[in-house]
Amino acid sequence: MLIDGYDTLLLDLDGVVYLGNHAVPGAPAALEEAQRRGVRLAYVTNNASRTPAAISGHLRELGVPASAEDVVTSAQAAARLIAERVPPGAKVLVVGGSGLRLAVRDRGLRPVSTAAESPVAVVQGIAPGLSYGLLSEGALAVRQGALFVASNADSTMPTGRGELPGNGAMVRVIAHATGVEPIYAGKPDPPLHRESMIRTGARRPLVVGDRLDTDIEGASNAGVESLLVLTGVATAADLLTAEPRHRPHVRGGGSGGVAPALPRGARWCLRGGGGPSGGTGCCVSRGRAAGSMG
């Protein structure tokens, strides 16, 4: 079966594992089965506001097998980016929430909140109640020469009330005020998938996502194979008109082989025949092909 060729599934969360406060139907059982077959599960998210412990707790409430060590966030990827560029113990101005501050501290850096503390870097991530004052401190520090890193570039984020401004929208405040563009850590840029592979020790990972412009493009940028699930943002129509960098790809194996690793009733799309440059692809649901991609 298809998943036997991979040692790790790098799973997006919203739209893949859960939808809001509810698990995607069949997802917990499918992931338990993949784990039973020896496949490592890693939950990879652009959301920098929550800690891995909080995210894994939510997953367990939904019946999904997860520990804090199984969760990889854009906050962790951003903290590594900074740690690779500044001295140990350096001050970092955190424009974000507890998930971002914890990631910075865990990487041996010192979180601060004002430009007056002379931080060597500014890291920004989405957080409820992000204030004008903190954005202003970030802008002052960047103007003073601090490295500018952002957890992700998502312009919106889904909520029960609809799509709200995401970190990509909030980052424009500091970028526009200073003329300095940040280094992005989250999908579709490579650092988050790199962080995932470092933390899991993955040698043959498969990225599973529901967004073409973050999950699938991110996998392509990182040189990792990918699968698209149609239980979230992307639709079959989006897939048919996708640019090459947004096309999911899986080398080898037919559509039916992936079924035991997928949520019952979910539809997944793959591109086969040796990768993005060749072969055909299809959408599949558990146990049957659902249509050709061409």
Side-chain angles (χ1 to χ4, degrees):
M1 60 186 58
L2 186 57
I3 63 166
D4 291 341
Y6 302 94
D7 62 3
T8 307
L9 297 181
L10 303 180
L11 298 140
D12 184 49
L13 290 175
D14 205 354
V16 175
V17 178
Y18 56 68
L19 292 168
N21 293 321
H22 304 282
V24 169
L31 294 173
E32 285 182 358
E33 175 64 12
Q35 195 174 61
R36 188 186 70 79
R37 293 179 182 275
V39 178
R40 174 77 188 268
L41 306 178
Y43 304 98
V44 183
T45 177
N46 264 0
N47 191 327
S49 64
R50 295 192 295 168
T51 66
I55 293 170
S56 63
H58 176 53
L59 289 171
R60 289 194 300 274
E61 288 174 358
L62 299 178
V64 175
S67 67
E69 290 71 30
D70 297 325
V71 177
V72 187
T73 71
S74 61
Q76 293 170 322
R80 184 183 295 272
L81 273 179
I82 296 170
E84 291 173 342
R85 291 165 169 78
V86 305
K91 297 177 183 177
V92 177
L93 200 163
V94 178
V95 182
S98 59
L100 198 53
R101 294 185 72 88
L102 178 63
V104 167
R105 189 176 294 112
D106 284 349
R107 194 47 61 186
L109 303 169
R110 181 181 168 192
V112 300
S113 301
T114 67
E117 295 171 271
S118 301
V120 299
V122 172
V123 62
Q124 183 172 349
I126 200 66
L130 189 63
S131 69
Y132 176 82
L134 194 51
L135 287 166
S136 298
E137 293 298 325
L140 288 169
V142 170
R143 280 188 175 278
Q144 292 166 8
L147 174 71
F148 186 22
V149 173
S151 64
N152 65 293
D154 295 2
S155 59
T156 62
M157 60 179 184
T159 74
R161 299 170 57 201
E163 291 193 345
L164 299 182
N167 193 56
M170 302 305 293
V171 161
R172 302 319 305 162
V173 175
I174 294 179
H176 189 69
T178 63
V180 176
E181 290 296 322
I183 302 171
Y184 289 104
K187 300 174 282 187
D189 293 281
L192 180 52
H193 284 317
R194 172 175 170 249
E195 183 74 16
S196 302
M197 289 185 279
I198 290 172
R199 287 179 176 270
T200 61
R203 294 179 178 273
R204 181 94 166 111
L206 178 67
V207 170
V208 181
D210 71 310
R211 295 183 68 120
L212 297 172
D213 59 347
T214 55
D215 303 316
I216 305 307
E217 183 180 341
S220 180
N221 290 340
V224 177
E225 295 182 357
S226 60
L227 253 163
L228 177 74
V229 63
L230 297 182
T231 51
V233 172
T235 66
D238 294 330
L239 188 62
L240 288 169
T241 58
E243 303 173 32
R245 63 198 172 105
H246 290 163
R247 294 175 188 163
H249 58 284
V250 174
R251 289 191 179 91
S255 60
V258 75
L262 307 182
R264 184 176 301 277
R267 295 182 66 211
W268 300 64
C269 294
L270 60 90
R271 184 177 177 90
S277 60
T280 59
C282 62
C283 296
V284 299
S285 58
R286 281 202 67 171
R288 64 182 177 88
S292 174
M293 278 169 48

